[in-house]
Each structure stands twice: as structure tokens, then as C-alpha cells.
Amino acid sequence: MRSKRPAVSTPPPRHRTLGELEDDLADIAVGYDTTPHQMLIGEVARRWHQVEDMLDRRLSVTDSLRTTRLGGQLTYYLGRLAFAGGHYRDARRFCDLSDRYADQVGDEMLTGSLAALRSSIAYYTHRWDKAALTAARGRRGAEPYLAARLAAYEARSHARLGRVRETENALAAMRAHAGVATRPRPGSSPFTAGSAAMFAAVCAIELGDGAEARRHAREAVDLIDPRSHEERGHAYLCLASGFLLQDRPDPAAAIAASRAAAAVPDGHLSATVVSAMSEVVRELGPWASDPDVRAFSALVQQSRLALPGSPA
């Protein structure tokens, strides 16, 4: 397959064998949550360029399939990294390119991971119906590794739209599959018991249940690996919103939890966490004159400006 490349500025790649590239991709999957995004952009882009060059050559049928699969997986990661930086249009463009590779190799893991990424893009661009539908379609027949994540994405979209029954049904499907497979594979990150608790907290916030949100968020903070900065950040921010969603709101506790979400190593803050931080700022509106609230609002703005550029 040959396609027009989105522009990616990287130094010329060192030639690597097909087997080495496959090993590199496995390493990227294992290290995705613990590697700064800007570093990952360069690593993934260099390997994608080499795969594109390899596809220009005459390859055996087997090597052509392996190389095409690598092209789809690497463009998926470029889309995911664009999404992490808040560059949603670029993320969609990489998804479209990855789909073209995926269609040629019939890789269910890649197809399901792309469905999850597309659902996330729709969710964060406020197309919640589309986000729910994309996740629901993706989890029909999805392998266990992906089923829980797709159900969670469907649940949060229904919750955003206030659909209680649909949210509960999707959460039940999420819990049935959570933790089934936790060894990282190229594509979506593993979905753990901590992931399930975090998404249950997200749904509780959307449905206005502060007590349930606090309970699930505390469970998530305890269960999620501290190196999984994005998921843990969302758990803290659900806890923050939960502190405000009660008879006696506690803005000081909300700010403390929100600052915990932002306290990650350089290069690990994602656009989704910054978006959730911005939501907490809006919820803190009644206390906008408080110096701590003003300081947190300034931190959110600085965090937004520090997000990595797009790989496209």
C-alpha cells in the first residue's frame, strides 16, 4: 500500500529489519503510558517512515502483510499521540490512514483500537451520540482485551447524555470484561480493575451522583498504577468534582485533588486531563474570587499551553 503521508518532521531513520520493527512496536506498547509523549512522537514517526519506504519495495506476500500491519499500528499510535495533545483533526486523519492499512490485513486488534480512538475523538469534540454508537459497534464481537474499554467509552457517552439505563447496561458489560487481559499489546492500553473504577466515577459525575463518584474515584486512585498518569489523573478529577457535588461542597478538597491530577512528570499531561481540569474550574465558579481557585485556574491555562504539538 502506498499513500500520501501527512508531514512529520523527523531525522532520517536508521534502517531496521522487519523483525526489529515488530519488536520496537511491542516495546512502544509496553512503554506507552510511562514514556513522555514528545519522545514517543519521534520514536513512532521514525519507524513509520521506514515502514512506508519498505512498502515501496518488492516484498514477499508474507512480508508485505507484516509491513502493512506495522503501518496500520504505527499510524494508530500517531493518531493516539495527536489526540493526547488535543489535536483532534489530525488524530482523525491518522485514523483514516490506519483504517486503510487495517482493511488489507484484517487485524481485529487494530480495528478495535481504532474504534476506541474514534469514540474518544467524538466524545471530546462533543459528539456524544456518535461516540456511543462508535464504541457500541466496535465492541460487537471485539476480543476480550478490547471489550471492557469499548463498553466504558459507550457508558461515559450515554452518561453524558443522561441515559441512565443505557449507562448501567454498558457499565455492566465493562465490569464483565475488565482485567481479562492486562499484558500490553500494540493498540489500546490494557483495561484494569482500576480503569473500571475510574470510568464508573466518570459516569457517576455525569449522572450527578457525587457520593458514588467519590467512592469509585477513591477506589480508582488506590488501584491504578501510579505510572498510568492519564487514568489516575481522571480519577483524581472525578474525586474533585465529587467534593463539589454534595450538600456542603468542599472547594479546598476539590483543588487539592485537582492539583494531584496535574502533578505528573514532564511530558505526561494529556489534553483529556487538561479538559477535565477545565471542567473543575467551571464547577468552582461560585468561589472564583478565592486566591486558591485563581491560582488553579492559572495552572490549567499553563498546562494547556504545555501540551505537545501534533505529529502531523
Side-chain angles (χ1 to χ4, degrees):
M1 173 188 156
R2 197 71 183 98
S3 58
K4 184 177 180 181
R5 306 178 189 175
V8 181
S9 300
T10 71
R14 179 181 78 78
H15 179 75
R16 300 177 74 77
T17 67
L18 186 53
E20 285 178 321
L21 287 168
E22 290 171 334
D23 288 343
D24 289 346
L25 188 68
D27 290 341
I28 288 167
V30 170
Y32 184 88
D33 292 325
T34 58
T35 307
H37 295 158
Q38 200 62 50
M39 183 184 299
L40 275 172
I41 289 172
E43 293 289 328
V44 174
R46 281 192 290 274
R47 284 154 180 78
W48 177 56
H49 275 305
Q50 183 175 336
V51 164
E52 283 278 279
D53 290 340
M54 291 171 73
L55 287 167
D56 278 339
R57 307 175 200 159
R58 188 180 297 277
L59 299 170
S60 70
V61 173
T62 300
D63 284 355
S64 179
L65 285 172
R66 289 169 67 192
T67 307
T68 302
R69 179 176 287 106
L70 277 168
Q73 291 166 328
L74 289 164
T75 45
Y76 158 79
Y77 275 114
L78 288 173
R80 187 170 167 186
L81 287 163
F83 173 80
H87 307 286
Y88 302 131
R89 182 173 295 182
D90 292 333
R92 281 195 295 268
R93 190 150 52 91
F94 278 118
C95 280
D96 290 342
L97 180 55
S98 186
D99 271 333
R100 294 171 63 186
Y101 291 101
D103 286 345
Q104 297 186 55
V105 296
D107 188 317
E108 292 183 359
M109 179 67 186
L110 177 58
T111 300
S113 296
L114 284 166
L117 180 54
R118 286 189 183 281
S119 178
S120 290
I121 295 168
Y123 183 85
Y124 281 96
T125 52
H126 303 167
R127 296 173 297 152
W128 298 298
D129 263 323
K130 183 174 180 60
L133 183 60
T134 301
R137 285 175 174 169
R139 74 179 176 97
R140 290 173 193 157
E143 57 182 281
Y145 183 94
L146 291 165
R149 181 169 298 280
L150 287 162
Y153 289 2
E154 182 183 353
R156 71 177 175 187
S157 304
H158 287 312
R160 184 75 183 199
L161 292 166
R163 299 169 177 166
V164 177
R165 186 181 64 180
E166 291 87 345
T167 300
E168 291 174 347
N169 289 341
L171 286 175
M174 174 196 76
R175 293 186 179 107
H177 294 286
V180 170
T182 56
R183 181 184 179 90
R185 296 171 57 184
S188 295
S189 294
F191 195 91
T192 67
S195 309
M198 183 273 283
F199 277 100
V202 169
C203 292
I205 288 295
E206 296 291 2
L207 295 175
D209 192 334
E212 278 293 285
R214 293 190 298 276
R215 180 172 71 86
H216 288 303
R218 288 190 177 101
E219 181 185 8
V221 169
D222 288 341
L223 290 174
I224 294 171
D225 187 330
R227 297 171 298 175
S228 295
H229 303 293
E230 185 171 27
E231 283 196 345
R232 209 154 187 262
H234 280 294
Y236 274 120
L237 290 163
C238 286
L239 186 58
S241 293
F243 284 133
L244 299 175
L245 194 61
Q246 53 187 343
D247 292 338
R248 292 185 178 181
D250 189 343
I255 291 172
S258 298
R259 285 190 173 277
V264 298
D266 288 346
H268 284 283
L269 199 61
S270 69
T272 66
V273 169
V274 174
S275 176
M277 290 165 63
S278 299
E279 184 62 34
V280 173
V281 169
R282 286 190 287 273
E283 293 165 356
L284 286 165
W287 302 274
S289 62
D290 184 281
D292 289 338
V293 174
R294 291 202 303 269
F296 176 63
S297 180
L299 173 64
V300 173
Q301 181 61 24
Q302 292 166 8
S303 299
R304 186 178 293 112
L305 295 173
L307 290 171
S310 173

